[in-house]
Amino acid sequence: MQTHEIRRRFLDHFVKAGHTEVPSASLILDDPNLLFVNAGMVQFVPFFLGQETPPYDAATSVQKCVRTLDIENVGITTRHNTFFQMAGNFSFGAYFKREAIRHAWSLLTSSVDDGGYGFDPERLWVTVYLDDDEARELWKEEAGIPDERIQSRGMADNYWSMGVPGPCGPCSEIYYDRGPEYGRAGGPEADEDRYLEIWNLVFMQNERGLGSGKDSFEILGPLPKKNIDTGMGVERVAFLLQGVDNVYETDLVRPVITRAEELSGRTYGTDHEADVRFRVIADHARTAVMLIADGVNPGNEGRGYVLRRLLRRIIRSAKLLGAEKPSMGEFVTVVSDTMSPSYPELATDFERILAVAVGEETAFLRTIAAGSKMFEAEAEQVKAAGKKVFGGNEAFVLHDTYGFPIDLTLEMAAEAGLDVDEDGFRSLMAEQRKRAKEDAQARKHAHADLKVYKEFVDRGPTEFTGFNELVSEAHVLALISNGVRVPTAKAGEDVEVILDRSPLYAEAGGQIADRGTITASGLRVQVNDVQKIAKKVWVHRVTVNEGQITEGDIVLAQVDPGWRRGATQGHSGTHMVHAALRQVLGPNAVQAGSLNKPGYLRFDFNWQGQLSESQKQEIEAVTNEAVAANHHVNTFVTDLTKAKQMGAIALFGENYGDEVRVVEIGGPFSMELCGGTHVQASAQIGPVTLLGESSVGSGVRRVEAFVGLDSYRYLAKERALLAGLASSLKVPSDEVPARVEALVERLRAAEKELEATKAAAVLASAGTYVDKAHRIGDVLLVAEQAPDGVAGNDLRGLVSDVRGRFGTQPAVVVLLGNADGKVPFVVATTKAAQDLGIKAGDLVSSFGPLIGGRGGGKADMAQGSGSDVSGIPAALNGVRGRVAELTGNS
């Protein structure tokens, strides 16, 4: 049975049983404890917590999930995926244990012809919580499972919670016996490889308190309602029904391995180490595509860092398998083809997903090239010192700082005839993971208590009147102070105000909240911020300036008109810049975030590489031409499918309802899904001036701009600056650029001349150093401090010149400098000195530690730098002592 069919049968089964089918939420939800959605129940948390009243009493979904805690183990075990689909059914007080057990058993064991999965009932085992005798009896009654196939397990295995204070309860798990060839007999307690968990039924009936771990928290008492939260692992059921050995060989994952075989020339199933790499590619490629589809971009922290690790592990694994050419595009294509029947957005958004993944591959291949050079330099130093082990610390720095994979370090070390201190590397990695885990745990906290808002969330959304008016009469529904409802608030107090209707825009979609006032007779309240609760209720954060506000008051809520005018200019300007970017750069320049406020906009977009000056000028020109055209701004509400068919652009990662608001500016020029406030015609935006363009992460660029009066003021300031320069240079304004360029060229020429004079003076001093040479045995040694400020090529050139003056004599030249608090040094030896066993690279170790430095090189020349100027005298003595030892004159 194909995976897409497994999904469909699950949903159909529960819809027929009276459940409402709910689409999968995005992998990115606004949850402080989660980087990614990792369970089917996450989008229903507000219902379980009692913060919102669900619109249905029973639901079913197939939720996209990502778990990356044990990313290093992917491919080693045969039953774990980083991306997986969790099919679930949920009851919000409608039914409990008996019905949950009945529904699960019916779907699993009914025949395929009757819409079930056709599992053999004799091969199914269940576990229950230690003292849950009720569940044990229900399994016997509803499913006919004998007592010997029902096992009781403790809190760590069969008691569920979110890991923080909130709902919890005992659970019951269903396992499938794969047979004696997969492990020991004796049920799940004996072997969880042979007995594979495929379904977990959580009887959510209690509330947990503080504590850590899976079994060290207090049960505070029962929840108001008994709920059901179950999850069936789609991938696990798929590999059982498809008769394959593991989750990597199912119909949606194996095609990626097949493509990797074609690209690498290797065969899956013939070598364990290679098989792990094949599985890593297959698993991570699917996860990466799904994350990019939901709006994640590669980066150096948070979600972006996880995605970057996944993509780089794919690239690394393909390289180690022998793939010679870039392969990311191939893997993305296969994943899109196999997964799009269930997730059509992968096909419609294919070009953007492909561009993000391939862009990261291109960047990482450059990283590998740079890392290889760093490795080679370090390996050369190891060998120059006569050692055979590449340090664990150096391997960790390559991995952690430069993103250079340890597998490549091991491979290259072997080619260079070196071992790697793997124990040291693993120890440092373990310390890093421990710190990361502790940091994540420190940030993890209970869900914010939003119960005080529940009444108003259930009442329905705040009526937003701000599209049509700036002043609205409203009723004060509630006042909230420090999470508690209060009847009144007096002058000088800060409080939250909930109104039945409001013209003030609540922050959303990159547009910051309106500022304004709430007034009545003898009352004046300053609105400082407006936020949404559950995307429905407007919460006005205010300061009472005059009088007293009381629950039940009739008031006037008013937007600051100047603020709103600037805010609409900024928001509409953002749409115009987005449209111009796509016109100039193409459809892959997709929005990755924005911020707009009065007079200013910031727009992030997916793009590889810095924009050229001509591109920036063209984007600004296209934007302002559209502004000057005075396009009408048209807004309308339609259903999501129709909006997308019309070409409206949606923000990736954003969850939209069935009905959406479309903002259209100039017909096809700009059409986006947007709930923000806008100008009525594009000319009202005023001039748009791009301030600059920069990088905010791999594959993400940012443009910033002023609009309206702020744009005018900026241009006026620039004009005044230009006029000042013209006056100082005594040329017309249009000649300033050429005159400045000429001055810069003259300055550069003068600097070069100065450098040449300085270098000549340095070289001229070579003779004085030759005169300072003293003989140690048969060797002439120059060990001196160079003039302050001499460094780099000048110091190297001076040392070479001094060495050259000794001709065929055995000679060693060591000069240490003092440049900006650093101690650059160069060591050179003549051929005759090398024949006596004196090598420049070896001499560094005799004085490097004394100046807090390190360096390396070859037998004839070595160089490096230190950080301790005070150690120069001791370092020079160290060189003299070492040369004496080597010549037998110590």
Side-chain angles (χ1 to χ4, degrees), residues 4-129:
H4 298 303
E5 175 66 15
I6 293 169
R7 285 170 43 95
R8 189 68 260 162
R9 284 178 178 247
F10 186 95
L11 294 171
D12 287 347
H13 176 79
F14 284 100
V15 168
K16 289 176 183 176
H19 296 64
T20 298
E21 181 178 336
V22 180
S24 172
S26 167
L27 285 165
I28 308 168
L29 285 185
D30 185 17
D31 187 313
N33 295 317
L34 298 176
L35 277 179
F36 307 111
V37 169
N38 62 0
M41 55 77 65
V42 171
Q43 67 169 312
F44 303 110
V45 165
F47 304 153
F48 291 130
L49 290 175
Q51 296 173 353
E52 298 179 38
T53 299
Y56 30 70
D57 58 9
T60 184
S61 71
V62 177
Q63 173 64 49
K64 300 178 290 187
C65 299
V66 168
R67 294 180 187 171
T68 57
L69 286 176
D70 299 316
I71 190 173
E72 301 289 348
N73 293 324
V74 168
I76 298 173
T77 68
T78 58
R79 54 193 173 91
H80 289 96
N81 293 124
T82 53
F83 171 84
F84 58 95
Q85 302 169 89
M86 187 60 74
N89 60 283
F90 309 91
S91 166
F92 311 105
Y95 62 82
F96 201 47
K97 293 182 184 180
R98 182 181 296 275
E99 293 84 355
I101 289 171
R102 182 185 301 158
H103 289 318
W105 188 257
S106 172
L107 177 59
L108 287 174
T109 61
S110 292
S111 69
V112 173
D113 290 342
D114 290 334
Y117 294 138
F119 280 108
D120 180 358
E122 300 301 316
R123 301 185 74 168
L124 295 177
W125 291 61
V126 298
T127 61
V128 297
Y129 182 55

Side-chain angles (χ1 to χ4, degrees), residues 149 180 314 353 421 441 448 574 627 806 865 880:
R149 292 215 312 272
I314 296 169
I353 296 169
D421 177 14
Q441 188 64 38
T574 302
V627 169
F806 288 110
S865 180
R880 296 176 186 122

Side-chain angles (χ1 to χ4, degrees), residues 200-218:
N200 185 17
L201 296 84
V202 178
F203 308 130
M204 199 180 293
Q205 62 193 50
N206 297 318
E207 183 175 0
R208 65 157 280 181
L210 294 171
S212 61
K214 293 184 177 182
D215 54 3
S216 58
F217 53 83
E218 181 184 4

Side-chain angles (χ1 to χ4, degrees), residues 567-604:
T568 58
Q569 288 176 319
H571 201 159
S572 298
T574 302
H575 284 223
M576 302 297 269
V577 169
H578 187 190
L581 279 163
R582 292 171 66 84
Q583 184 170 314
V584 174
L585 303 179
N588 287 334
V590 177
Q591 181 174 356
S594 67
L595 172 71
N596 47 79
K597 60 183 181 180
Y600 169 86
L601 67 88
R602 185 181 78 200
F603 189 84
D604 298 343

Side-chain angles (χ1 to χ4, degrees), residues 75 78 245-249 254 257-258 260-261 264-272 274-280 282 321:
T78 58
D245 282 341
N246 58 66
V247 292
Y248 304 102
E249 298 175 13
R254 185 59 170 85
I257 293 178
T258 300
E261 288 178 306
S264 66
R266 303 283 293 274
T267 301
Y268 178 71
T270 59
D271 175 81
H272 174 71
D275 286 353
V276 170
R277 290 171 182 156
F278 277 120
R279 293 168 185 163
V280 165
L321 282 172

Side-chain angles (χ1 to χ4, degrees), residues 422-442:
E422 287 191 71
D423 289 342
F425 172 81
R426 304 293 176 196
S427 176
L428 290 168
M429 285 294 294
E431 289 178 17
Q432 184 191 61
R433 289 195 193 98
K434 181 181 178 183
R435 288 194 299 269
K437 186 175 182 180
E438 289 172 347
D439 183 52
Q441 188 64 38

Side-chain angles (χ1 to χ4, degrees), residues 100-180:
I101 289 171
R102 182 185 301 158
H103 289 318
W105 188 257
S106 172
L107 177 59
L108 287 174
T109 61
S110 292
S111 69
V112 173
D113 290 342
D114 290 334
Y117 294 138
F119 280 108
D120 180 358
E122 300 301 316
R123 301 185 74 168
L124 295 177
W125 291 61
V126 298
T127 61
V128 297
Y129 182 55
L130 282 175
D131 60 0
D132 195 353
D133 296 332
E134 179 187 9
R136 175 180 290 273
E137 293 305 313
L138 287 171
W139 279 113
K140 296 177 184 178
E141 295 174 19
E142 295 293 333
I145 296 181
D147 204 55
E148 59 269 20
R149 292 215 312 272
I150 305 173
Q151 295 183 330
S152 297
R153 307 184 79 174
M155 183 172 275
D157 294 302
N158 276 70
Y159 202 95
W160 178 91
S161 80
M162 292 188 294
V164 294
C168 63
C171 60
S172 184
E173 297 169 330
I174 305 175
Y175 290 79
Y176 179 80
D177 180 3
R178 300 168 69 195

